[in-house]
Amino acid sequence: ATATGSRLGTVCQRLLRRANIDVLVVRNPDAALASGPIVVGVDGSPRSFGGLITAMAWARKWGVPLHVVAAFDPDFHHVAFRRIAGVLSEAAAKVFRFKEQEALHETVINDGLAKIYQSHLQVARSLAHEHGTEITCELLSGKPHVALHEYARKLSPSLLVLGRRGVHADPELDIGGNAEALVRDVDCAVLLSERQQVPRADVVAETTTSFTEEAEQILAKVPSFARGMARTAVLRHAHALGHTVI
């Protein structure tokens, strides 16, 4: 703790925001990272899978358990659209077709959110199999930083690994909100991953699957902040069924 009561010093905070490489924040220098277990949070972003690759190498080297968790927020849809509704004028709402967008988002995202995050764990299992590493997977429900914090509190890992920015982050963002909250709040060491890994299954699906113009138009109706996640979910589903045209 610092003199001001913050759990992170000012130098650490500035470094977290400005570094463009992996950053390891060690909370307690006397606690051995190699004591394990290691927890990795995945959200479908390349940085979260990049962190998983690093964590698997360390887990094998140290011979410690590796837990991979994915946390989805069941209230994501409702919060997002309440925020949009609060800034739209009546005329803008008509152009945006707010009610139609909300209904579509309810169908594409909210109803299948658990399945999407479960698919991230399936990808993690596939990566672990490729690297000859055993992992334990768990799907968590709740705001990601709260759910992961509670999971870490119960498990008491030596290390938590997170992508510096998450799946919904804008390209200009320096650090994701969940990552920043967790590195501040958890008691263990935290590795913020800048390393990126696009799982082979996603690469194959993206390069061998084509979207018809009609499918692209439907995806275009999904709000931009959720469109990438929806596209990934559709690609994975089509690839698993052996389809090459959507």
Side-chain angles (χ1 to χ4, degrees), residues 7-27:
R7 300 197 69 195
L8 290 179
T10 56
V11 173
C12 181
Q13 293 179 50
R14 288 198 298 272
L15 180 64
L16 287 175
R17 292 190 172 279
R18 298 176 183 178
N20 58 2
I21 58 174
D22 287 7
V23 176
L24 176 64
V25 179
V26 177
R27 181 80 60 193

Side-chain angles (χ1 to χ4, degrees), residues 72-233:
F72 72 98
D73 184 358
D75 296 323
F76 171 78
H77 156 78
H78 303 288
V79 172
F81 274 87
R82 278 200 301 270
R83 290 178 178 174
I84 294 174
V87 299
L88 287 179
S89 65
E90 183 177 351
K94 290 179 180 178
V95 174
F96 184 70
R97 295 188 300 174
F98 182 80
K99 290 298 180 183
E100 294 179 37
Q101 291 274 24
E102 186 175 26
L104 180 65
H105 195 209
E106 182 87 40
T107 300
V108 175
I109 299 300
N110 204 54
D111 292 347
L113 205 54
K115 292 181 180 179
I116 291 172
Y117 277 78
Q118 187 65 58
S119 75
H120 299 334
L121 295 177
Q122 291 170 356
V123 171
R125 290 189 185 95
S126 176
L127 284 172
H129 179 73
E130 291 177 15
H131 288 77
T133 305
E134 291 187 7
I135 63 173
T136 298
C137 294
E138 187 162 349
L139 181 66
L140 307 176
S141 175
K143 292 187 180 302
H145 70 275
V146 175
L148 265 69
H149 187 193
E150 180 63 17
Y151 187 87
R153 188 186 67 79
K154 292 179 179 179
L155 189 66
S156 296
S158 63
L159 176 65
L160 173 64
V161 180
L162 305 164
R164 175 190 298 279
R165 296 191 293 277
V167 69
H168 297 299
D170 294 328
E172 299 81 11
L173 191 67
D174 49 13
I175 184 174
N178 288 307
E180 186 172 31
L182 283 162
V183 75
R184 181 184 63 236
D185 294 340
V186 296
D187 294 325
C188 63
V190 179
L191 174 69
L192 292 186
S193 175
E194 187 65 30
R195 177 182 187 175
Q196 299 187 53
Q197 174 75 28
V198 178
R200 187 172 61 181
D202 286 1
V203 173
V204 172
E206 184 70 53
T207 56
T208 62
T209 307
S210 62
F211 283 75
T212 65
E213 183 176 349
E214 182 183 12
E216 292 284 8
Q217 291 173 354
I218 292 174
L219 269 180
K221 296 178 181 179
V222 179
S224 58
F225 58 83
R227 195 173 300 145
M229 184 167 62
R231 186 183 186 92
T232 297

